[in-house]
Amino acid sequence: METETKDRGKTKRCLRWAAVLLLAALVMAFFFGMLPVFPLAVATGSMEPAIEIGDAVVIGRTDAEALQEGQVIAYRLDGQIVVHRITERTETALGPVFRTKGDHNNAPDLQDVTADQICGRVLLVVPKGGTASLWLRQLLQ
């Protein structure tokens, strides 16, 4: 009876450790962009008031064909990831092309966004969720 109780205790401990390790692996995969969603700290005020400096956004990878006007997207431009709203969608022979604009900006972005630049669509905004990341990045520069 005593041996059976010890075995149950060991099994419970092993299961707890396995759950902790699995959770840690999922968190790491999320932050390293290995899942269909990934976080991004917002460093500029171009999307204020909807998305403020220091907010974190969760980006969901998506096909450019599914994107519509009014949605907020993340795209690559000159080695940076930009988060702006789609203001116009145009169909071309090579696929959709998007005109974007930051909500706080006076004019649309100078360059249109092509499907191959798209990282994904903003699914969630976490207020001040990126503050620590921005602080650490600034500290390391």
Side-chain angles (χ1 to χ4, degrees), residues 31-46:
F31 283 107
F32 286 110
M34 299 167 70
L35 298 177
V37 295
F38 63 94
L40 180 67
V42 176
T44 71
S46 67

Side-chain angles (χ1 to χ4, degrees), residues 63-115:
D63 186 351
E65 293 293 334
L67 296 173
Q68 300 297 320
E69 289 180 21
Q71 292 178 320
V72 179
I73 61 170
Y75 62 93
R76 290 187 191 336
L77 179 66
D78 299 328
Q80 301 290 319
I81 297 180
V82 178
V83 175
H84 280 173
R85 189 175 308 278
I86 297 172
T87 58
E88 185 180 332
R89 176 188 166 125
T90 306
E91 294 299 326
T92 70
L94 300 175
V97 173
F98 305 94
R99 171 72 44 126
T100 57
K101 178 183 173 294
D103 289 355
H104 193 71
N105 295 347
N106 292 328
D109 298 334
L110 296 175
Q111 295 180 346
D112 288 341
V113 179
T114 59

